[in-house]
């Protein structure tokens, strides 16, 4: 699924800078304000547990969210790589909405970091990437037992997804899951029904079927992709060992690479 958020969405267009300083101490120059800071590199390992239905990766990657984004200590610009920025990022960071977001101590600091990144993405036109970062803030709220914030940020993520380009089937499943977990039952059911009517790929159809059952039960809980897949038949003892290996979920791996590549 995902690795740390990728610099692909982070640039949201041609980056205005790739401002890594060349000193041996490893200081990084912020592409927005030019301030230097130490930013430890993050090289995520693959998740070993199944991801959630909204593609939040399983452990051990799940527990590394505090390292997914860098943040400049001078201007508070946050991104997977603060040495890169969209040409319009500086205006977004200097504007009052961003400054108010950073100053809002009612929100957990890690969530504010993801929301800061989401705000820059939204202001620079990368709406789907902004939805992703907003959903990450909701994951932080989940971990901190703040369902009020998790619900609000899931609703914000859905709004951003729907404001951007047309969604593919996998993105629509994530919208459905966000709606379900935000208790938007009618919208979640209608969206799931519409996706099912378009006969999506089998893997997507299995997840949609599970989501529809969860919506009918008004279940707002966390569920994994593993719970959507039918149990694999047990291999015959004579079956070659290599064929017993689980199939690689290429879509998930590709999504993770896009999310976390530097």
């Amino acid at each position: 699924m995902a690795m740390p958020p990728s610099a692909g969405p982070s640039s949201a267009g041609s980056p205005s800078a790739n401002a890594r300083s060349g000193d041996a101490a490893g200081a990084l120059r912020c592409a927005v304000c030019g301030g230097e800071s130490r930013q430890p590199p993050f090289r995520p390992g693959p998740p070993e547990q199944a991801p959630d239905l909204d593609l939040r990766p399983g452990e051990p990657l799940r527990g590394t969210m505090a390292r997914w984004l860098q943040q400049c200590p001078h201007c508070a610009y946050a991104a997977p790589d603060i040495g890169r920025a969209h040409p319009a990022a500086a205006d977004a960071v200097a504007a009052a909405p961003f400054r108010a977001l950073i100053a809002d101590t009612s929100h957990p600091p890690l969530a504010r970091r993801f929301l800061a990144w989401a705000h820059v993405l939204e202001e620079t036109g990368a709406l789907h990437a902004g939805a992703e970062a907003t959903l990450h803030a909701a994951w932080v709220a989940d971990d901190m037992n703040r369902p009020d914030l998790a619900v609000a940020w899931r609703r914000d993520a859905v709004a951003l997804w729907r404001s951007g380009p047309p969604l593919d089937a996998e993105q629509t499943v994530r919208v459905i899951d966000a709606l379900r977990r935000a208790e938007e039952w009618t919208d979640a059911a209608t969206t799931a029904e519409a996706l099912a009517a378009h006969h999506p790929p089998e893997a997507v159809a299995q997840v949609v079927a599970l989501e529809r059952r969860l919506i009918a039960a008004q279940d707002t809980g966390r569920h994994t992709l593993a719970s959507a897949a039918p149990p694999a038949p047990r291999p015959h003892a004579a079956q070659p060992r290599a064929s017993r290996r689980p199939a690689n979920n290429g879509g998930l791996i590709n999504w993770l690479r896009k999310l976390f590549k530097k």
Side-chain angles (χ1 to χ4, degrees):
M1 161 178 280
M3 298 187 164
S6 113
S10 77
S11 12
S14 300
S16 64
N18 189 343
R20 292 185 179 278
S21 63
D23 64 28
L28 179 63
R29 183 178 298 112
C30 175
V32 167
C33 72
E36 292 192 354
S37 61
R38 299 279 188 93
Q39 300 288 341
F42 177 45
R43 295 292 178 266
E48 297 176 3
Q49 297 178 358
D52 295 353
L53 294 178
D54 63 2
L55 295 189
R56 181 175 181 181
E59 295 291 3
L61 184 55
R62 184 185 192 89
T64 64
M65 289 188 68
R67 301 175 62 195
W68 289 8
L69 295 180
Q70 300 172 353
Q71 188 161 33
C72 175
H74 308 287
C75 69
Y77 172 57
D81 179 358
I82 62 170
R84 301 181 63 188
H86 186 280
D91 289 339
V93 167
F98 183 92
R99 307 321 305 175
L101 187 161
I102 292 299
D104 187 352
T105 57
S106 68
H107 295 163
L110 180 56
R112 271 183 281 158
R113 195 184 312 164
F114 283 109
L115 292 174
W117 175 222
H119 180 81
V120 171
L121 290 165
E122 181 181 1
E123 290 298 302
T124 55
L127 298 181
H128 286 181
E132 185 76 49
T134 304
L135 181 63
H136 291 180
W139 295 348
V140 175
D142 290 338
D143 292 345
M144 300 194 72
N145 195 26
R146 291 292 307 272
D148 55 330
L149 296 178
V151 164
W153 292 335
R154 281 188 166 91
R155 289 172 178 167
D156 289 345
V158 169
L160 285 170
W161 264 312
R162 287 174 165 172
S163 297
L167 299 169
D168 62 24
E170 290 184 3
Q171 290 171 315
T172 302
V173 167
R174 303 181 78 199
V175 167
I176 294 167
D177 191 74
L179 290 168
R180 174 183 65 82
R181 297 193 67 181
E183 301 184 31
E184 297 286 349
W185 305 116
T186 301
D187 195 353
T190 300
T191 306
E193 182 179 354
L195 180 55
H198 282 83
H199 306 291
E202 180 61 26
V204 173
Q206 291 171 0
V207 177
V208 173
L210 173 59
E211 289 282 11
R212 295 177 78 178
R213 294 194 296 272
L214 296 172
I215 293 164
Q218 296 198 349
D219 182 337
T220 63
R222 170 200 170 203
H223 295 269
T224 69
L225 284 180
S227 61
R234 294 186 64 183
H236 189 274
Q239 189 173 349
R241 180 176 299 273
S243 65
R244 301 185 199 180
R245 295 173 183 165
N248 180 31
N249 188 332
L252 176 62
I253 296 301
N254 289 337
W255 185 87
L256 286 168
R257 285 174 179 161
K258 284 193 295 181
L259 183 63
F260 292 102
K261 72 183 178 185
K262 290 287 187 179

